[in-house]
Amino acid sequence: MKLRPSVDVAPGRSPRQAIPFLLPALVVLAALVLYPLVFSLIRSFFDATGDEFVGLRNYVDTFTDPRTLTAFRNNVIWVVVAPAAVTGIGLILAVLTERIRWATAFRLVLFMPMAISLFASGIIFRLVYEETPNQGVVNAVLVGVHDMFSPSSQYPGARPREGYTPTEAGFIADAPARAGDTITLPLVGFSPQDVPAQALPASVPAAGNGEVRGVVWLDVSVGGSAGKVDPIERGLPGIAVEAVRDGQVVARTTTGDDGRFTFPDLASGEVAVRLPSSNFALPFRGLTWLGPSLITPVIISSWIWIMTGFAITFIAAGLSAIPRDALEAARVDGATEWQVFRRVTIPLLSPVLLVVFVTLVINVLKIFELVFVIAPGSVQSEANVLALQMWQVSFGTGGDQGAGSALAVILFLLVAPAMLFNIRRFRRERS
Amino acid sequence: MTLVAEEVRIEVPVSGAPKRGVLSRVAARLGNGAIQLLLALVAVFWLVPVFGLLIASLRDESANTATGWWTVFTKPAELTLANYAELVANQAVWQSFLNTFYIAVPATVLVVVMASLASYALSWIEFPGRETLTVVVVGLLVMPIQVALIPVAKLFGAFGLFGTITGVVLFHVAFGLPFAIFLLRNFFAGIPRDLIEAARMDGATEWVIFKRVVLPVAKPAIASLTIFQFLWVWNDMLVALVFADQDSAPITVALRAQLRQFGTNIDLLATGAFLSMIVPLAVFLVFQKYFVQGVLAGSTK
């Protein structure tokens, strides 16, 4: 404690002169910050109407309410993952930017998200992670990469009209086939417009000796009759067809442009014709980023996007304050760049890293807008955090200001250590 | 071949740098190229989301529903300013855009004025409890605004300020003050004592010293604070969500209702979000030095 005045008072100066300077700020702070703090504390011991004293019941309810517990869990995930990630990424990028000439431009680009509202950032990332691949860029990229390695099927959603049982492996015929049979295999559930251009009109092949023959066609046409090959109906080219005996695939073929297929040389005995499911697999549509399981990581990623620039700039300022001599001395002694970084830079930088980390933790505890905007209404309870829950309970659907006050006090207690950290740092810097 | 060329170019040794083998020098060169590439990729990664929003705001509803914004590279003809025209013509949205100014400007001016005055007293006038008061201000830096939402809502209700721009402004002033005082006090305290003492010897009043000596010297700090506070208030959503009504809502709150149907409202939301971003982006690009200093001056709130 420094009780001694640090400024010499000129003769005739009176402390009273401070009053007009301090008064406006003090009145506002007292009325709108300090008094509310006390009021919230007291209010948290009363019920929703504010008339009845309920002791600690609001706090007990808070810690047993499943929605609030989800919010707690998410806050823990946020605090554990997000500030460390941003500090780490910020440190790496800050060190790397020291090696490039366009460091200022780079930092400007990464700092830019700090200038825009969390609401706008939320919209930006809602769009980035939008589920349909023709709106959200992340899913568009995922689908593109996926289709490059495993092309999507030609006839998604198509299925045999009847007489086939869907299994994991595909549609398998209920009736067995034997050599000399001709199989007509009408498919439905697919739009004639999507049939490949090379498809020819379908026709039923003549029975062949010792062969199983058949045709696969799209049995969808105006005025056509179900199960019959009508003149304007086309065969479906490129469909894989398998002959299965006792669970084993004994022959495999693909339909031609007219939809016909042939299994030659089938040994005597019965086979079951199967259309493998790969023909009809629905296309890969990407991941449900905004669904209940991925929503918190998604929102954290957007926060990383926002805060990394702050970390880089703060850490870069710290880096430039490190005496070059210390680094050079280590290099002259033969230390590798990694050793210099690990043994000299990091220790000298650790006070700065701590300040960045604490600042980020405070920011994370108060996270509100990002969750509010990015999480669709249906998964907001999954993505919930304390600050959002406090608003919901007090002003949103809840309308319980007793419970809301309890949550506010809990938030206050959570940032209180940071408060002490700041005060201690301030005192140290002054002495 | 290229290796030789590379070697020749870097033969001038940096003073004090240890002598390295050819291999490690080549590795350093390659490493530098890799770093450039990596950082360029990171920068692109940071820009793509904003670029996507911009393009989405320039495509109409049917285009945004049918295809992603990246198809604009093959169909640039789809770009249109119609969304912006529509949004500006929408009375409610335009009013909310103006409201954002009506809130941010007074909240910034009041904070700067009040904080300058208080910071002067805290750094250059001796009075009992000065140390304690300063520490309290430092403690309030991280105060969560949630603590004040319910009590101040009641207070404003009693004074008829609930749902008014004045109420929103007052709340922003209150929660902007601790950081503002912290930033300015640190700067004021660093002003050379001789400057202040000389003025005192000349018989100047505290008010004159504040106005004639301290304020002119403190211009950079005040600029940082102004930019920071303006953007802080401009970008707010939570405070306005609680204290503003439909007529006094800023643009963030006004657009919130459209969030429900995100997929079909992309044109409107992207345009609104970008409209709300134009002012901060312009302020940031023009005054980036001051803004960055403001952010670094203390921890963020």
Side-chain angles (χ1 to χ4, degrees), chain B residues 269-292:
Chain B
L269 280 167
T271 312
F274 215 85
L275 190 69
S276 84
M277 281 163 57
I278 287 172
V279 172
L281 280 182
V283 170
F284 171 64
L285 290 177
V286 176
F287 301 104
Q288 39 130 331
K289 195 183 89 190
Y290 293 114
F291 178 60
V292 172

Side-chain angles (χ1 to χ4, degrees), chain B residues 34-53:
Chain B
I35 289 171
Q36 304 254 10
L37 186 68
L38 175 77
L39 292 184
L41 281 176
V42 170
V44 168
F45 209 73
W46 247 253
L47 287 175
V48 163
V50 182
F51 185 73
L53 185 82

Side-chain angles (χ1 to χ4, degrees), chain B residues 184-208:
Chain B
L184 290 185
R185 198 216 67 94
N186 279 354
F187 194 92
F188 288 3
I191 295 173
R193 171 166 308 180
D194 298 350
L195 224 55
I196 311 285
E197 290 303 319
R200 283 196 177 141
M201 291 307 165
D202 292 345
T205 62
E206 297 296 340
W207 172 249
V208 169

Side-chain angles (χ1 to χ4, degrees), chain A residues 1-2 5-10 13-15 17-18 20-22 24-26 28-29 31-37 39-40 43 89 93 96-97 99-102 106 108-120 123-128 130 133-137 140 304-310 313-314 317 328 331-332 335 337 355 359 362-363 366 368-369 372-373 387-388 390-391 394-395 400-401 404-405 408-409 411-412 415 418-419 422-423 425-427 430, chain B residues 16-18 20 32 35-36 38-40 42-43 45-47 49-50 52-53 56 64-70 114 117-118 120-128 130-131 133-135 138-144 146-156 170-171 173-175 177-178 181-182 185-186 193 197 200 204-207 210 231 235-238 241-242 252 255-256 259 262-263 266 269-270 273 276-277 280-281 284-285 288 291-292 295-296 298-301:
Chain A
M1 278 295 282
K2 281 205 307 179
S6 55
V7 178
D8 294 327
V9 185
R13 301 281 166 187
S14 118
Q17 300 205 325
F21 284 92
L22 287 171
L26 286 192
V28 172
L29 282 178
L32 300 181
V33 182
L34 293 174
Y35 156 76
L37 176 62
F39 184 98
S40 280
R43 184 70 182 76
I89 298 172
L93 291 179
L96 291 184
T97 49
R99 310 276 199 87
I100 60 169
R101 296 219 179 111
W102 42 286
F106 180 83
L108 188 70
V109 166
L110 267 78
F111 205 84
M112 178 266 303
M114 287 286 293
I116 65 176
S117 64
L118 292 164
F119 173 82
I123 302 275
I124 287 174
F125 277 87
R126 185 89 185 255
L127 183 59
V128 163
E130 190 61 14
N134 56 8
Q135 288 181 335
V137 69
I304 291 175
W305 181 80
I306 295 166
M307 298 307 292
T308 296
F310 162 75
T313 313
F314 209 108
E328 285 308 324
R331 290 196 182 110
V332 168
E337 282 303 310
V355 171
T359 306
I362 299 166
N363 188 297
K366 298 177 183 174
F368 169 84
E369 283 99 330
F372 190 83
V373 175
L388 177 59
M390 187 270 159
W391 180 84
S394 336
F395 302 99
D400 182 345
Q401 304 206 326
S405 296
V409 172
L411 261 177
F412 172 75
V415 300
M419 225 170 236
N422 272 348
I423 291 174
R425 183 160 67 101
F426 175 75
R427 282 233 170 94
R430 291 190 75 190
Chain B
R20 297 270 175 99
N32 202 275
I35 289 171
Q36 304 254 10
L38 175 77
L39 292 184
V42 170
F45 209 73
W46 247 253
L47 287 175
V50 182
L53 185 82
N64 272 322
T65 322
T67 55
W69 55 263
W70 50 92
M114 288 183 185
L117 289 169
Y120 177 74
L122 287 176
S123 31
W124 292 109
I125 305 180
E126 191 61 29
F127 60 90
R130 190 174 77 158
E131 191 75 7
L133 198 58
T134 313
V135 166
V138 173
L140 292 183
L141 278 178
V142 297
M143 183 73 114
Q146 278 80 4
V147 165
L149 292 180
I150 292 171
V152 174
K154 282 209 184 318
L155 205 64
F156 281 179
L170 277 178
F171 194 91
V173 170
F175 275 81
L177 273 175
I181 296 175
F182 177 72
R185 198 216 67 94
N186 279 354
R193 171 166 308 180
E197 290 303 319
R200 283 196 177 141
T205 62
E206 297 296 340
W207 172 249
F210 169 70
L231 290 188
N235 288 334
D236 159 75
M237 175 169 188
L238 177 54
L241 200 56
V242 173
T252 49
L255 288 174
R256 166 200 170 219
L259 276 173
F262 187 85
I266 287 177
L269 280 167
S276 84
M277 281 163 57
L281 280 182
F284 171 64
L285 290 177
Q288 39 130 331
F291 178 60
V292 172
V295 173
L296 297 187
S299 29
T300 48
K301 292 190 269 190

Side-chain angles (χ1 to χ4, degrees), chain A residues 163-164 172-177 271-273:
Chain A
Y164 284 75
I172 191 154
D174 297 335
V271 294
V273 169

